[in-house]
């Protein structure tokens, strides 16, 4: 019977998915590498091709590690690190879509219940992943705003000092 309603999965439910999908890790690495190359212009930074391959490997490993351990805190932290690497939201959403498709391709005709658990696992993984990404994004925005506030304050102070100096020069003239 299919799970139907999406809910938090236990590690015990995810382990059979991990055992099945871990057999295809190199295929997932290759597919994610191609995906990252296709979305190269949607990211904040241009990544070196070797970095793209390493990132694809890291993304596949992160997902499979989540399936084996069920550690959402680790996924949350990983999502924050991805922002610092420069991946954009479109790229991340493409990865989500691809992981769902990957699970579908590997499990569709084999075990529908396992497929449903895998798709729930992808949803659970990316909920934590995207929360980490957005938390880091908000932190960066607040930091940028604080830096801008300090820069504006310093500029206003310099202008004030210049006005005082000019006023003093006019008075003495």
């Amino acid at each position: 019977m299919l799970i139907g309603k999406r809910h938090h999965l236990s590690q015990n439910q995810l382990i059979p998915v991990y055992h099945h999908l871990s057999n295809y890790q190199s295929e997932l690495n290759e597919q994610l590498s191609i995906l990252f190359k296709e979305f190269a212009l949607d990211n904040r930074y241009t990544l070196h091709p070797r970095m793209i391959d390493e990132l694809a490997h890291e993304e596949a490993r992160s997902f499979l590690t989540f399936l084996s351990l069920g550690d959402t805190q680790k996924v949350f932290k990983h999502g924050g690190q991805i922002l610092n690497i420069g991946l954009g939201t479109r790229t991340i959403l493409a990865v989500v879509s691809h992981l769902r498709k990957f699970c579908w391709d590997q499990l569709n005709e084999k075990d529908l219940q396992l497929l449903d658990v895998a798709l729930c696992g992808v949803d659970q993984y990316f909920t934590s992943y995207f929360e980490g990404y957005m938390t880091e994004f908000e932190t960066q925005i607040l930091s940028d705003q604080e830096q801008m506030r300090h820069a504006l304050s310093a500029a206003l102070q310099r202008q004030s000092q210049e006005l005082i100096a000019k006023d003093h020069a006019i008075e003495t003239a």
Side-chain angles (χ1 to χ4, degrees):
M1 174 167 98
L2 294 177
I3 293 171
K5 195 174 191 182
R6 302 288 184 216
H7 64 282
H8 182 78
L9 298 169
S10 71
Q11 179 184 359
N12 290 338
Q13 291 172 295
L14 293 172
I15 286 181
V17 175
Y18 165 75
H19 286 300
H20 185 81
L21 294 181
S22 64
N23 296 324
Y24 303 97
Q25 183 172 359
S26 60
E27 183 179 330
L28 181 58
N29 290 345
E30 187 177 315
Q31 292 172 3
L32 288 174
S33 183
I34 291 167
L35 183 132
F36 287 139
K37 289 172 186 170
E38 289 174 2
F39 281 83
L41 298 177
D42 290 336
N43 301 319
R44 189 181 331 168
Y45 310 120
T46 302
L47 300 173
H48 187 277
R50 185 174 45 238
M51 176 66 174
I52 288 175
D53 291 338
E54 289 171 11
L55 183 59
H57 176 75
E58 176 61 28
E59 287 302 302
R61 190 185 62 73
S62 175
F63 176 63
L64 292 173
T65 299
F66 167 73
L67 293 176
S68 69
L69 301 176
D71 188 353
T72 57
Q73 284 301 100
K74 198 172 203 176
V75 174
F76 180 89
K77 184 177 177 183
H78 178 69
Q81 293 168 339
I82 288 302
L83 177 71
N84 295 326
I85 291 173
L87 290 189
T89 53
R90 282 186 42 154
T91 304
I92 291 171
L93 293 174
V95 171
V96 173
S97 177
H98 186 78
L99 284 179
R100 291 180 66 78
K101 182 184 179 316
F102 179 75
C103 291
W104 178 267
D105 291 345
Q106 301 308 323
L107 298 168
N108 181 31
E109 295 178 5
K110 296 173 179 92
D111 186 339
L112 290 179
Q113 186 170 3
L114 195 60
L115 172 63
D116 195 52
V117 170
L119 295 176
C120 287
V122 171
D123 293 346
Q124 191 172 321
Y125 175 78
F126 268 97
T127 297
S128 294
Y129 185 102
F130 207 66
E131 284 175 7
Y133 181 90
M134 292 309 293
T135 299
E136 183 63 25
F137 187 67
E138 290 170 2
T139 301
Q140 284 186 5
I141 287 173
L142 292 174
S143 175
D144 291 349
Q145 287 176 340
E146 187 65 25
Q147 288 176 2
M148 188 176 289
R149 187 172 28 256
H150 285 300
L152 288 172
S153 177
L156 286 172
Q157 185 142 12
R158 280 192 307 273
Q159 279 189 335
S160 176
Q161 290 171 348
E162 288 176 16
L163 287 174
I164 290 171
K166 288 178 184 178
D167 189 41
H168 179 69
I170 291 172
E171 284 181 20
T172 57

